């Protein structure tokens, strides 16, 4: 067979498809009267007058995707949904009024381009979709390609949390006082915006993830602990010349939305240096004299969700060698383009995970120490 034949083959199947489409149209025309009987004229008119208007589709976190419209068929349920890999997640629901009118407004605090839709479920569901964008409330710098995973280079081999489940976390800020808590929470908010993961603060803890004995678990209902610890408690701060550690601790066999085998993070830990809090980092996210605790927090929680270092990319928070001083003289606790791209790949965009049993293996402890 010559290449020429290869070229012609799609054309032939296109012709076939066209023929089939014509036949389908003919059949539906022939079936017309029956269809009309089942679908009174009024209903058809209502269908013709139905619409969805998208009022707001480019937002920052904190904003809402908004739409209004009119649907056929009296009072019915309407959902506003966002697409994730192989499924849709509902971000708002309402009902149409008697005239079929509705308004929906769903929060979408998850950076990136998304497909959103209005769905009115029924035997014949009404669906209209469009593109939406959630933009960071600042202009990230750097390069989209500058990210790395801790475990393996492919998205599939990296460890990640199940993005379709709330991730609960606790804070141990005993060493440094309550001032640290809102700073950590601000970091978690940024992480959530970048990944689409939902984190829920469930209280204080006295644990230090880094010093926990082998085979030890967090108490039930805790997926992540973020703790401050002194260099006396964690000598590795000095030995590894680090100000923090972060990474997954326990994994569970799982399948991704494509049915492939993956590892799901069930516990992760972050340990931050109390000594550097007292004598080192600026206590905030922006400072024009020195690197900030905000940058350190963002870096270590980035490890906790599966990102590694990008030593050749000084502008990224995940650089691993130090923090970037912007041309305006400031250190800024903000994820940049490579960070954001990497974080999007360990989050909701990749779809839900489903824990499975793999033979007798139900869970494994991450053998290697967390990254600093
Ligand atoms: Zn690091």
């Amino acid at each position: 067979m010559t290449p020429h034949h290869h070229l012609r083959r799609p054309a032939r199947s296109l012709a076939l498809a066209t023929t089939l489409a014509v036949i389908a149209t003919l059949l539906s025309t022939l079936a017309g009267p029956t269809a009309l009987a089942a679908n009174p004229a009024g209903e058809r008119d209502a269908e013709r007058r139905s619409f969805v208007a998208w009022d707001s589709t480019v937002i920052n976190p904190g904003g809402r995707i908004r739409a209004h419209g009119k649907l056929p068929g009296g009072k019915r349920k309407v959902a506003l949904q966002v697409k994730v890999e192989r499924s849709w997640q509902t971000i708002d629901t309402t009902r149409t009024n008697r005239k079929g009118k509705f308004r929906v407004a769903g929060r979408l605090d998850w950076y990136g381009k998304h497909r959103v839709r209005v769905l009115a479920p029924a035997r014949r569901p009404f669906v209209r979709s469009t593109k939406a964008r959630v933009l960071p409330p600042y202009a990230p710098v750097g390069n989209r390609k500058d990210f790395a995973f801790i475990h393996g280079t492919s998205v599939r081999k990296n460890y990640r949390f199940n993005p379709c489940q709330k991730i609960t976390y606790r804070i141990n800020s005993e060493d440094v006082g309550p001032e640290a808590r809102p700073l950590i929470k601000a970091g978690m908010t940024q992480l959530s915006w970048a990944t689409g993961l939902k984190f829920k603060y469930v209280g204080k803890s006295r644990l230090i993830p880094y010093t926990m004995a082998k085979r030890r678990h967090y108490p039930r209902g805790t997926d992540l602990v973020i703790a401050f610890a002194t260099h006396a408690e964690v000598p590795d701060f000095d030995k590894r010349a680090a100000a923090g550690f972060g990474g997954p601790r326990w994994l569970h066999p799982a399948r991704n939305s494509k049915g492939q085998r993956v590892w799901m993070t069930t516990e992760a830990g972050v340990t931050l240096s109390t000594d550097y809090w007292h004598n080192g980092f600026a206590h905030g996210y922006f400072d024009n004299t020195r690197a900030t605790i905000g940058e350190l927090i963002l870096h270590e929680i980035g490890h906790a969700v599966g990102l590694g270092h990008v030593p050749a990319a000084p502008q990224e928070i995940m650089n691993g060698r130090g923090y970037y001083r912007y041309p305006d003289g400031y250190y800024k606790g903000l994820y940049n383009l490579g960070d954001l791209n990497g974080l999007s790949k360990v989050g909701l965009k990749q779809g839900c995970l489903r824990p499975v049993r793999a033979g007798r293996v139900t869970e494994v402890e991450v053998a290697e120490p967390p990254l600093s």
Side-chain angles (χ1 to χ4, degrees):
M1 200 181 289
T2 67
H4 191 69
H5 279 97
H6 282 287
L7 284 175
R8 261 161 64 185
R9 209 191 262 165
R12 221 180 286 152
S13 57
L14 184 68
L16 180 65
T18 313
T19 312
L20 285 174
V22 171
I23 292 170
T25 312
L26 276 173
L27 282 175
S28 68
T29 312
L30 290 174
T34 331
L36 273 181
N39 187 6
E43 219 171 278
R44 268 187 300 137
D45 277 356
E47 194 131 336
R48 220 179 301 135
R49 283 196 302 268
S50 66
F51 71 93
V52 171
W54 296 96
D55 303 311
S56 155
T57 53
V58 181
I59 60 171
N60 292 128
R64 285 171 190 272
I65 302 293
R66 293 172 193 278
H68 72 278
K70 195 172 185 307
L71 305 186
K75 283 195 169 184
R76 54 196 290 200
K77 284 183 193 166
V78 179
L80 177 63
Q81 299 183 316
V82 60
K83 180 94 167 62
V84 303
E85 179 79 32
R86 302 214 174 189
S87 73
W88 293 84
Q89 293 201 333
T90 299
I91 56 173
D92 191 28
T93 57
T94 188
R95 275 173 178 279
T96 57
N97 68 13
R98 232 170 260 134
K99 289 178 177 168
K101 289 185 177 172
F102 72 92
R103 252 172 214 290
V104 278
R107 271 187 68 166
L108 187 55
D109 295 339
W110 172 29
Y111 297 154
K113 291 177 198 164
H114 304 292
R115 181 147 283 276
V116 292
R117 74 179 184 185
V118 162
L119 167 75
R123 194 166 48 84
R124 280 201 311 160
F126 176 93
V127 187
R128 293 286 185 282
S129 73
T130 193
K131 283 177 198 158
R133 291 190 77 180
V134 181
L135 303 169
Y138 58 95
V141 298
N143 187 324
R144 281 179 57 78
K145 280 185 266 173
D146 289 334
F147 68 89
F149 300 122
I150 305 179
H151 305 281
T153 52
S154 84
V155 169
R156 184 159 82 85
K157 287 192 180 131
N158 188 47
Y159 308 162
R160 60 188 180 94
F161 280 105
N162 180 6
C164 300
Q165 206 172 296
K166 265 199 183 121
I167 299 154
T168 54
Y169 74 100
R170 290 178 185 276
I171 296 175
N172 174 358
S173 58
E174 239 171 27
D175 281 2
V176 298
E179 189 199 341
R181 231 176 295 148
L183 291 172
I184 290 173
K185 288 183 180 179
M188 297 306 282
T189 299
Q190 276 207 57
L191 184 63
S192 180
W193 290 349
T195 55
L197 298 173
K198 296 282 180 225
F199 298 97
K200 188 179 177 211
Y201 176 66
V202 291
K204 296 182 205 171
S205 172
R206 306 186 77 166
L207 291 172
I208 299 169
Y210 205 79
T211 61
M212 285 173 70
K214 286 244 175 309
R215 313 290 311 162
R216 278 286 305 277
H217 280 288
Y218 294 149
R220 247 181 189 292
T222 305
D223 304 323
L224 169 65
V225 172
I226 300 168
F228 277 90
T230 64
H231 291 211
E233 288 167 319
V234 179
D236 273 4
F237 278 130
D238 287 325
K239 269 186 235 155
R240 294 173 62 183
F245 298 107
R249 295 186 69 241
W250 282 92
L251 308 170
H252 200 290
R255 288 194 188 271
N256 64 17
S257 53
K258 291 174 185 149
Q260 297 165 317
R261 292 201 148 182
V262 295
W263 286 106
M264 178 174 92
T265 303
T266 52
E267 281 183 32
V270 165
T271 310
L272 306 165
S273 157
T274 300
D275 301 41
Y276 281 116
W277 164 275
H278 289 304
N279 186 12
F281 292 99
H283 293 188
Y285 275 76
F286 298 85
D287 195 86
N288 60 0
T289 63
R290 58 205 166 128
T292 65
I293 196 78
E295 292 171 284
L296 177 69
I297 291 168
L298 292 183
H299 183 89
E300 303 306 340
I301 60 181
H303 285 322
V305 296
L307 287 197
H309 288 147
V310 279
Q315 291 173 314
E316 308 297 336
I317 288 284
M318 296 315 295
N319 168 248
R321 288 181 166 176
Y323 296 106
Y324 177 62
R325 191 167 200 171
Y326 286 68
D328 64 5
Y330 273 80
Y331 292 89
K332 302 179 187 181
L334 299 170
Y335 284 124
N336 279 320
L337 289 172
D339 303 318
L340 292 173
N341 194 22
L343 290 170
S344 83
K345 294 179 193 303
V346 294
L348 187 52
K349 196 174 192 172
Q350 301 300 326
C352 306
L353 297 180
R354 187 167 47 87
V356 293
R357 278 187 75 98
R360 270 198 226 140
V361 182
T362 56
E363 56 180 2
V364 296
E365 193 166 12
V366 178
E368 57 267 56
L371 290 180
S372 60

